[in-house]
C-alpha cells in the first residue's frame, strides 16, 4: 500500500510480560472472541505507551467479529456487554468489574472532515490505514506479539508523530487531527515535528473553523497539560494555527513557569479569559475560575501575614492558589523563591475559619426579619475579620447591643 512503511515482525519486541496484557479479565475476552472464530488484539494507546515506557491507563481492543458477534461471544461466557458506541462498531465489555472497549475492524466509506461513515472489515491493514498516526496503529495479540502494519515502531523509538499514509488525506477525514498532531507532539514528541505533517496542518488549518467547541476544548486541554505544551503552542502560533482557536497573548515565559494546569495556562494564553467559557463551552466551575483570575487582585509575599489570611478568607482557597501561581509566574522571582513558596502554602498551614454567627443567631437574639439582618451580619463579619478572626460567637452577639 502506498505510504505504508511495513515493518518486519522479527524486529519488534514482545509485550508478553506486560501485566495489563496478562490480566485474566483481558484474556477472557480474547478467548471468548477466539471461540467464535474471531481474533482480538489490543490496539493504540496501550501498545504505544508500553513501547515508550509510559504508563498504560486504558486498554482498547480491536476485533474481527461484528459488534453483534462480539456481544454474543462475550455474553456466552458470562461477561456483561454494553452497546456504548454501536454505530461506530464499539461495545464495552465488563470483565472482573473492568470495562474494555471492543471495536470491530473498520474501513472508512465516507468522511466530511468531522465524522466518518464506516463499514466493518476483517482486514487489519485496512483498519490500520484509517488511524491517525503510525504510533497509534500498532496491535498486540493475546500472546504479546506486536503487529505493525504501518511501520510505526521506528517512529515510536524516535518519538516522532507521523500521519498514517498521506497527511492531507488523514486530516481531510477529520480536521481535529490537526490538533491531535500538535497534542501528541507535545505529549510524546522529541525534536522538530514531522515536516510533512506540519505542512499539511498549516495548509488545511481553515478546517479547524468547522470543529465544535467541545472537541477543541478537549484536545487543547490535553495539549496544555502536556510536558511540551509551551513550545508546541509557540509552534502553532508561528504557523498561524493557534489564531484559529482563540485570540491569544504571547506570554510564553509566564506559561512556561506555570504548572501543567490547562485552565491556569488558558487564563494566561487567552487575550480575554472570561470569553473562553462561551467560546470553548467550558463548565460553570471552569468559567468561575477564569472570572476570579481575571477580576481579583493577586496577593504577593509583600503582604503581612494577617493581610494574606484576609485575602485567603475573602476569595477562597482555589482562587487564592490560582492567583498566587500566576502572579509568581509573572514576577521576576525564581521558581524556588521562599517568599512565594510560603505564600502559596498558606492554605496548608492555616485553616480558613467560618464566621461564628449566622442570620439565625441574630433572629434568636431579637432582631426582626428583613434586610437589616444581612447588613448587620456583614458589619459583624467586617469587625471579626479586622480583629484577626479572634472573637467568638459570644463576643460577636454582644456587639448587637
Amino acid at each position: 500500500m502506498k505510504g505504508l512503511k511495513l515493518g518486519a515482525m522479527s524486529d519488534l519486541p514482545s509485550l508478553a510480560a506486560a501485566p495489563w496484557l496478562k490480566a485474566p479479565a483481558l484474556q477472557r475476552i480474547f478467548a471468548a472472541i477466539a471461540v467464535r472464530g474471531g481474533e482480538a488484539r489490543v490496539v493504540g494507546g496501550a501498545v504505544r505507551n508500553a513501547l515508550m515506557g509510559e504508563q498504560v491507563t486504558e486498554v482498547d481492543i480491536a476485533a474481527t467479529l461484528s459488534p453483534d458477534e462480539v456481544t454474543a461471544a462475550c455474553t456466552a461466557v458470562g461477561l456483561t456487554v454494553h452497546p456504548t458506541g454501536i454505530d461506530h462498531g464499539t461495545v464495552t465489555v465488563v470483565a472482573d468489574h473492568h470495562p474494555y472497549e471492543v471495536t470491530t475492524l473498520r474501513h472508512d466509506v465516507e468522511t466530511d472532515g468531522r465524522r466518518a461513515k464506516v463499514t466493518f472489515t476483517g482486514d487489519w491493514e485496512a483498519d490500520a490505514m484509517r488511524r491517525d498516526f503510525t504510533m497509534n496503529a500498532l496491535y498486540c495479540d493475546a500472546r504479546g506479539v506486536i503487529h505493525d502494519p504501518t511501520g510505526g515502531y521506528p517512529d515510536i523509538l524516535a518519538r516522532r508523530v507521523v500521519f498514517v499514509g498521506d497527511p492531507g488525506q488523514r486530516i481531510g477525514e477529520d480536521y481535529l487531527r490537526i490538533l491531535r498532531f500538535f497534542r501528541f507532539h507535545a505529549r510524546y514528541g522529541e525534536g522538530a515535528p514531522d515536516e510533512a505533517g506540519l505542512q499539511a496542518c498549516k495548509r488545511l488549518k481553515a478546517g479547524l473553523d468547522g470543529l465544535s467547541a467541545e472537541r477543541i476544548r478537549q484536545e487543547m486541554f490535553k495539549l496544555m497539560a502536556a510536558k511540551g505544551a509551551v513550545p508546541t503552542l509557540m509552534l502553532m502560533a508561528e504557523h498561524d494555527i493557534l489564531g484559529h482557536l482563540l485570540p491569544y497573548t504571547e506570554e510564553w515565559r509566564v506559561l512556561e513557569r506555570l504548572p501543567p494546569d490547562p485552565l491556569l495556562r488558558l487564563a494566561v494564553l487567552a487575550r480575554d479569559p472570561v470569553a473562553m467559557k462561551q467560546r470553548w463551552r467550558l463548565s460553570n466551575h471552569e468559567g468561575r475560575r477564569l472570572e476570579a483570575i481575571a477580576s481579583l487582585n493577586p496577593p504577593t509575599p509583600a503582604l503581612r501575614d494577617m493581610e494574606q489570611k484576609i485575602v485567603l478568607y475573602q476569595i477562597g482557597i482555589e482562587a487564592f492558589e490560582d492567583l498566587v501561581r500566576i502572579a509568581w509566574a509573572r514576577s521576576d522571582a525564581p521558581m524556588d523563591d521562599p517568599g512565594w513558596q510560603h505564600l502559596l502554602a498558606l492554605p496548608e498551614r492555616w485553616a480558613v475559619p467560618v464566621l461564628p454567627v449566622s442570620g439565625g443567631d441574630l433572629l434568636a437574639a431579637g432582631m426582626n426579619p428583613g434586610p437589616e439582618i444581612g447588613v448587620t451580619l456583614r458589619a459583624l463579619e467586617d469587625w471579626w475579620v479586622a480583629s484577626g478572626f479572634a472573637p467568638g460567637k459570644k463576643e460577636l452577639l454582644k456587639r448587637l447591643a
Side-chain angles (χ1 to χ4, degrees), residues 25 102 152 179 183 189 223 253 277 302 304 318 331-332 351 369 393:
V102 182
L179 300 187
R183 192 251 288 186
L223 189 160
R253 172 186 171 275
K277 181 181 187 300
R304 293 188 292 269
E318 185 174 62
S331 76
D332 293 327
K393 180 176 181 178

Side-chain angles (χ1 to χ4, degrees), residues 48 132-133 136 161 163 174-186 215 219 222:
R48 176 199 66 228
D132 49 10
F133 310 120
N136 293 338
V161 182
F163 282 100
D174 185 352
Y175 289 106
L176 190 73
R177 286 174 171 171
I178 295 175
L179 300 187
R180 286 176 62 81
F181 176 79
F182 290 105
R183 192 251 288 186
F184 273 78
H185 179 69
R215 297 184 82 201
E219 285 298 321
K222 290 178 180 177

Side-chain angles (χ1 to χ4, degrees), residues 253-375:
R253 172 186 171 275
V254 179
L255 287 169
E256 194 70 76
R257 283 161 57 90
L258 287 173
D261 179 329
L263 200 88
L264 274 186
R265 286 178 165 173
L266 180 60
V268 171
L269 178 67
R271 196 174 300 161
D272 183 355
V274 176
M276 295 309 298
K277 181 181 187 300
Q278 178 65 26
R279 189 180 185 99
W280 282 4
R281 301 290 193 273
L282 304 182
S283 69
N284 289 335
H285 175 247
E286 290 165 343
R288 286 193 294 270
R289 278 185 71 186
L290 290 176
E291 287 179 10
I293 292 169
S295 63
L296 298 173
N297 292 321
T300 73
L303 295 175
R304 293 188 292 269
D305 182 68
M306 184 51 64
E307 292 172 332
Q308 295 176 8
K309 290 178 178 177
I310 290 173
V311 172
L312 174 55
Y313 171 79
Q314 290 174 336
I315 68 177
I317 294 174
E318 185 174 62
F320 182 89
E321 292 178 341
D322 285 347
L323 288 166
V324 169
R325 290 185 188 280
I326 291 177
W328 187 359
R330 283 183 166 140
S331 76
D332 293 327
M335 295 314 295
D336 60 353
D337 182 85
W340 283 100
Q341 288 178 336
H342 188 72
L343 177 63
L344 184 61
L346 176 59
E348 297 176 12
R349 64 177 186 273
W350 183 68
V352 178
V354 177
L355 181 66
V357 296
S358 66
D361 293 321
L362 302 191
L363 290 172
M367 285 192 67
N368 294 321
E372 189 180 355
I373 290 286
V375 173

Side-chain angles (χ1 to χ4, degrees), residues 188-200:
Y188 298 106
E190 289 183 0
D194 176 65
E195 187 62 25
L198 179 61
Q199 291 305 317

Side-chain angles (χ1 to χ4, degrees), residues 45-46 48-58 133 135-136 155-156 158-161 178-191 193 218-233 235-236 260 265:
R48 176 199 66 228
N49 283 18
L51 293 174
M52 285 185 160
E54 305 266 353
Q55 183 180 7
V56 173
T57 56
E58 293 184 1
F133 310 120
M135 64 168 54
N136 293 338
D155 296 325
I156 284 179
R159 289 189 168 263
R160 182 174 55 237
V161 182
I178 295 175
L179 300 187
R180 286 176 62 81
F181 176 79
F182 290 105
R183 192 251 288 186
F184 273 78
H185 179 69
R187 174 67 177 83
Y188 298 106
E190 289 183 0
Q218 185 178 35
E219 285 298 321
M220 288 301 294
F221 267 45
K222 290 178 180 177
L223 189 160
M224 289 192 290
K227 60 183 179 181
V230 178
T232 301
L233 290 170
L235 182 70
M236 294 170 71
R265 286 178 165 173

